[in-house]
Amino acid sequence: MTELKESMKKARARLKKRHAAETRFKAFGIGALAFAFLCVVMLFTSIISNGYTGFRQTYVQIDVFMDEGIIDPKGDRDEKALRSADYAKIVRQSLYDKFPEVTARRDKRTLANLVSSSAVYDLRDMVLANQAVIGQNLSVWVMASDEVDMLVKDVFKRDEPENTRPITNMEIAWVEKLEAENRVETRFNTNFFVAGDSREPEQAGIRGALIGSALTMLVTLALSFPLGVMAAIYLEEFAPKNKFTHIVEVNINNLAAVPSIVFGLLGLAIFLNLFGMPRSAPIAGGFVLALMTLPTIIIASRAALKSIPPSIMEAAIGVGASKMQAVFHHQLPLALPGILTGTIIGMAQALGETAPLLMIGMVAFIADVPGTPFDPATVLPVQVYLWADSPERAFVEKTSAAIMVLLGFLITMNALAVLLRKKLERRW
Amino acid sequence: MSIKKTLAVAALASVLAAGAAEARDQIRIVGSSTVYPFATSVAETFGKSTSFKTPVIESTGSGGGFKLFCAGVGEEHPDITNASRAVKQSEIERCAKNGVEKITEVKVGYDGIVLANSKQGKPLEITRKQIFLALAKDVPNAEGKLVPNPNQKWSDVDPSLPDIKIEVLGPPPTSGTRDAFAELALEGGCKQFDDIKAMKKTDKKKYKAVCHSVREDGAYIDAGENDNLIIQKLNANPDAFGVFGFSFLDQNSDSVQGSLIDGKAPEFEAIADGSYPVSRPLFFYVKNAHVGQVPGILEYLAEFTADKAWGDEGYLTDKGLIPMPVEERAKYKAAVEALGAGS
């Protein structure tokens, strides 16, 4: 009796221990999840709190006199002369008129930097669009310089002592005078989405990088998806199982683990130097990234093909279909959701790459927005890197804003894939 | 389906071949990351105010720039390379070997290198000799013999310096800024020791090794090429110092302060007149053979050498460039104009 009681007690103790282990394990799991969640929250709050102001831009209203003597001294309305006229002088003059008390040369120069240098091109475009504005007094809204923008957005604090902030009391007084007259306004920064890169933070836009990324991804997809799926089908269904195919398989797996910079070097040696592709172009970038994505797509596609019940193939062959028909009419459509998942993972990786692009010259200052895959272009992560490396303070918010755009691009791409997969998915 | 896709791939390949044969109508520039902010500013203004395309500028570092620049003549090679140091003899030879025989040097202006810390800390006043003693790998001891750097605190170097651990964040060895810092600050302090100075004549190689080697025991920390990162780290740690270019100090004057070196503060005027000891010239090099071949090179050079760009009040000074004296500017401007006349 006592013996039984003793062993019951032992069993209970063991049970308690096992339950405790299970509770501990669950706690670890929850802990890990909570930690991961915290990291994500921290990442997003830091990016969003830094970057949301990047989507807004300060504008200043100035009164300009479109002096014919400056714009078109000859009076013949020659377009070339209109294009190269000294519009900067008009902008400067308007500011000098606004603040007549500023007379020292140095201060005048600071005053002229109150508005962005893009104001000059705004005026030029106005004249080129409508010559009737010449000789008139106009009131125009132009972009504020990055320093004024930082001040209005409260990144540069007004209440700090003058020697510890990058903007002087004099400049603050000017801005406050303009603010009192309702001549300062913060608007949605459309320029950020329509302009290419710029060295002036207020003029810098994401469009060049966005189109560059889209073109590069298009080339990557057009190349790696058909090649990857074909390779997977052949290896999975048609290839004889011998030593040679075994070596190929092992090497595809190896290739998936090769550091991406190596693909960049390969791209430089083969695509640029041997095939003579243009440097810095999305076509070359797409080829390099396609090499990188191929193994991922092949491995995922093979797994997806393998997961289709063999009965489907057997039934198709049983009613007289050729093997190719059986694969393309039955197996492939069923495996497509899995293949798409693999493709998306590969593409998402490729979207975030900068290292291989460094070697083929896509990490560069490119102001013009690319139109074709042969034009020089950069991609979103490269733009993030370049802005993060710039000395101007206003680029901090631009960097975070660009990260948000990159994440948005990624989420759109993934959502598309999830949608496609949902549509194609079938259960047995 | 498979045939269609094969066709698509084939079509892509043929388009590609056609694209590659197209001539280049855009200037390509490579080189130093220090000159990059200035070159990009000029390129952007040039692209906006003329009908030419905006030049493409890659930041490859000075050495990497020369490597690409000297690879040959032809549209697949860059037209201009930026450099934060003068071209080396070995690079000229490399260029010549690949058919790049004539290159034109244009000095752009000056750049100061600063030693800075957070404004929460105390400003530092230091000499180049003390910088050498704090950061070199081997330093002479009391008997004048070279020993691995024993100084752990700034006050070990000199009692007048603060009693805090030596912790300096700076660029990695691949950087031109690091080269210049070693040459100007470390070597500048190093040659103030007579024994080492004498070594320059007897054993030049060893002299260079002693004067240019930065300590590797953790007091000097490679912080990568990103100067913004260094500034962030300085703000987080008021006891640390950082080494970076003047333009970053200029843009972050609210949070960091430059140390006085040999009694001179890193200010615009002091760097411009050469009294601040740690400043270096910046250059770019033009491939003569490309002038007239790639459209826009002369116009780009004209934009760069215009007073409104590199002059005393030009827009490049807003980006932190320290302009050259008037005569020096005239000299390089003339060289650029001669390039146009010659072709």
Side-chain angles (χ1 to χ4, degrees):
Chain A
M1 202 51 191
T2 49
E3 224 171 76
L4 187 67
K5 227 177 178 176
E6 201 54 29
S7 71
M8 284 275 284
K9 212 171 149 192
K10 268 188 189 159
R12 275 212 194 92
R14 274 204 305 274
L15 189 67
K16 205 174 155 196
K17 215 171 153 188
R18 281 191 289 154
H19 280 172
E22 195 175 317
T23 320
R24 259 201 319 275
F25 180 76
K26 275 193 206 157
F28 285 146
I30 292 171
L33 270 180
F35 181 71
F37 185 69
L38 195 74
C39 289
V40 171
V41 168
M42 260 163 57
L43 178 75
F44 274 81
T45 26
S46 102
I47 290 173
I48 292 174
S49 66
N50 268 329
Y52 77 98
T53 49
F55 295 115
R56 300 193 66 78
Q57 167 64 39
T58 307
Y59 284 78
V60 178
Q61 191 185 33
I62 54 171
D63 297 323
V64 291
F65 172 53
M66 302 299 257
D67 192 346
E68 190 167 358
I70 296 173
I71 299 172
D72 194 11
K74 282 193 202 138
D76 55 3
R77 298 288 189 268
D78 175 31
E79 196 177 311
K80 207 173 163 199
L82 292 181
R83 192 173 279 280
S84 57
D86 190 3
Y87 294 98
K89 201 168 171 185
I90 298 179
V91 175
R92 275 203 304 271
Q93 196 54 51
S94 113
L95 286 164
Y96 296 161
D97 292 347
K98 185 84 206 155
F99 299 96
E101 71 276 12
V102 180
T103 47
R105 232 162 76 86
R106 206 167 225 266
D107 295 349
K108 273 178 132 173
R109 187 159 172 247
T110 320
L111 179 62
N113 282 340
L114 218 53
V115 298
S116 165
S117 61
S118 70
V120 174
Y121 305 108
D122 289 349
L123 291 187
R124 182 188 70 187
D125 293 344
M126 270 167 68
V127 169
L128 291 178
N130 177 15
Q131 295 187 353
V133 298
I134 298 174
Q136 285 183 352
N137 273 308
L138 299 172
S139 191
V140 288
W141 284 95
V142 295
M143 271 199 263
S145 72
D146 54 325
E147 286 183 339
V148 172
D149 190 41
M150 290 287 97
L151 181 76
V152 172
K153 285 175 181 164
D154 221 23
V155 177
F156 294 164
K157 304 267 185 250
R158 296 180 199 208
D159 48 5
E160 272 180 22
E162 188 172 12
N163 59 355
T164 63
R165 73 172 125 72
I167 191 162
T168 60
N169 285 340
M170 188 173 66
E171 287 167 273
I172 292 183
W174 293 336
V175 174
E176 278 173 352
K177 187 179 169 194
L178 290 171
E179 276 174 336
E181 293 175 24
N182 284 329
R183 283 173 178 273
V184 180
E185 210 176 87
T186 316
R187 299 185 195 159
F188 180 71
N189 192 357
T190 33
N191 182 64
F192 186 67
F193 295 97
V194 298
D197 194 8
S198 168
R199 278 300 305 158
E200 304 301 327
E202 73 278 5
Q203 294 171 39
I206 196 84
R207 191 186 181 92
L210 202 63
I211 306 247
S213 263
L215 288 172
T216 311
M217 286 300 106
L218 223 63
V219 174
T220 306
L221 186 69
L223 212 66
S224 62
F225 184 68
L227 281 181
V229 174
M230 290 300 158
I233 293 175
Y234 179 76
L235 280 175
E236 195 57 38
E237 300 299 336
F238 296 97
K241 298 271 175 277
N242 57 24
K243 232 181 195 147
F244 178 71
T245 49
H246 188 67
I247 289 174
V248 169
E249 262 167 51
V250 169
N251 278 308
I252 287 173
N253 290 334
N254 282 340
L255 213 56
V258 169
S260 58
I261 185 81
V262 177
F263 290 109
L265 284 166
L266 187 79
L268 176 67
I270 295 184
F271 299 136
L272 259 56
N273 293 347
L274 202 65
F275 293 172
M277 282 194 198
R279 206 173 152 82
S280 316
I283 185 89
F287 267 69
V288 168
L289 293 177
L291 287 183
M292 214 188 78
T293 354
L294 258 179
T296 315
I297 296 185
I298 296 178
I299 293 168
S301 302
R302 291 191 63 182
L305 288 168
K306 215 178 263 172
S307 71
I308 306 302
S311 53
I312 289 174
M313 275 283 278
E314 281 154 15
I317 289 169
V319 296
S322 71
K323 191 160 183 190
M324 196 171 137
Q325 280 175 322
V327 168
F328 280 94
H329 294 172
H330 302 280
Q331 196 183 14
L332 186 64
L334 289 173
L336 214 51
I339 294 177
L340 281 177
T341 310
T343 310
I344 282 300
I345 293 172
M347 295 294 285
Q349 265 176 359
L351 181 66
E353 270 307 334
T354 52
L357 303 180
L358 189 68
M359 305 311 300
I360 55 168
M362 285 184 85
V363 180
F365 173 77
I366 294 159
D368 298 336
V369 176
T372 71
F374 302 101
D375 294 336
T378 133
V379 293
L380 284 165
V382 169
Q383 194 65 73
V384 170
Y385 165 75
L386 288 175
W387 284 349
D389 210 17
S390 302
E392 289 84 1
R393 282 284 283 281
F395 271 122
V396 174
E397 59 170 34
K398 294 285 184 254
T399 308
S400 294
I403 294 174
M404 281 193 259
V405 172
L406 176 61
L407 289 176
F409 195 104
L410 197 73
I411 290 170
T412 320
M413 221 164 84
N414 285 359
L416 209 73
V418 170
L419 221 72
L420 266 173
R421 204 165 60 202
K422 274 258 154 64
K423 242 184 142 175
L424 296 168
E425 206 153 42
R426 196 175 304 175
R427 288 192 181 281
W428 290 276
Chain B
M1 194 169 171
S2 72
I3 293 168
K4 265 188 205 156
K5 274 180 184 161
T6 326
L7 280 178
V9 173
L12 202 72
S14 59
V15 170
L16 178 109
E22 226 170 78
R24 182 151 64 85
D25 59 352
Q26 194 165 28
I27 303 173
R28 300 214 60 129
I29 301 169
V30 293
S32 162
S33 55
T34 314
V35 188
Y36 174 85
F38 310 128
T40 45
S41 264
V42 174
E44 193 181 339
T45 316
F46 165 78
K48 276 188 181 157
S49 54
T50 66
S51 52
F52 296 104
K53 283 191 181 172
T54 310
V56 171
I57 305 180
E58 279 178 62
S59 164
T60 60
S62 304
F66 279 116
K67 207 171 154 190
L68 288 164
F69 181 76
C70 289
V73 173
E75 59 169 284
E76 67 271 34
H77 302 294
D79 311 310
I80 295 173
T81 184
N82 300 319
S84 54
R85 55 166 171 79
V87 63
K88 291 178 185 164
Q89 189 55 39
S90 62
E91 284 159 346
I92 294 179
E93 281 159 18
R94 189 195 174 96
C95 265
K97 212 176 88 194
N98 291 322
V100 186
E101 273 161 7
K102 282 197 177 141
I103 57 175
T104 304
E105 178 184 86
V106 181
K107 202 198 260 186
V108 177
Y110 297 91
D111 176 42
I113 299 173
V114 301
L115 183 69
N117 67 337
S118 158
K119 279 210 159 153
Q120 296 151 41
K122 280 204 179 115
L124 186 71
E125 222 177 296
I126 197 166
T127 65
R128 277 181 288 171
K129 194 170 175 179
Q130 289 163 346
I131 294 181
F132 171 72
L133 287 174
L135 294 176
K137 195 172 172 195
D138 297 308
V139 293
N141 62 5
E143 290 92 51
K145 253 184 85 185
L146 285 171
V147 292
N149 198 334
N151 300 319
Q152 293 304 320
K153 287 180 169 177
W154 289 101
S155 52
D156 295 344
V157 174
D158 192 292
S160 71
L161 296 174
D163 182 23
I164 47 178
K165 216 178 129 228
I166 298 176
E167 204 178 344
V168 176
L169 301 149
T174 47
S175 154
T177 310
R178 163 84 170 262
D179 287 346
F181 182 73
E183 193 181 320
L184 296 162
L186 291 183
E187 191 180 333
C190 175
K191 64 185 177 203
Q192 292 175 26
F193 292 92
D194 295 334
D195 288 358
I196 302 180
K197 203 177 174 191
M199 196 196 284
K200 188 174 182 179
K201 292 207 181 86
T202 52
D203 190 350
K204 208 169 173 188
K205 227 176 187 172
K206 190 165 178 211
Y207 167 79
K208 220 176 161 188
V210 170
C211 288
H212 286 209
S213 297
V214 175
R215 63 197 292 185
E216 289 156 358
D217 57 357
Y220 181 94
I221 304 152
D222 277 353
E225 293 266 14
N226 189 331
D227 292 345
N228 275 331
L229 204 67
I230 298 183
I231 286 167
Q232 277 178 26
K233 286 181 178 161
L234 293 185
N235 283 330
N237 179 2
D239 287 342
F241 286 80
V243 173
F244 44 83
F246 173 73
S247 51
F248 281 83
L249 178 69
D250 201 30
Q251 289 287 338
N252 293 280
S253 55
D254 57 333
S255 60
V256 291
Q257 57 194 354
S259 309
L260 274 71
I261 297 180
D262 292 351
K264 286 281 174 190
E267 277 160 2
F268 191 89
E269 289 78 14
I271 300 171
D273 66 21
S275 61
Y276 180 74
V278 195
S279 78
R280 56 169 162 177
L282 304 175
F283 302 90
F284 66 80
Y285 292 85
V286 188
K287 208 176 273 179
N288 291 18
H290 281 199
V291 177
Q293 299 298 315
V294 177
I297 294 187
L298 284 173
E299 289 81 355
Y300 171 79
L301 296 178
E303 173 71 38
F304 213 130
T305 55
D307 265 353
K308 73 177 169 100
W310 75 351
D312 289 331
E313 303 207 334
Y315 57 79
L316 291 181
T317 59
D318 291 338
K319 295 277 162 207
L321 181 78
I322 316 285
M324 294 181 282
V326 182
E327 314 82 64
E328 215 175 352
R329 284 209 302 267
K331 182 183 139 202
Y332 284 106
K333 196 174 169 61
V336 165
E337 277 159 4
L339 203 58
S343 68

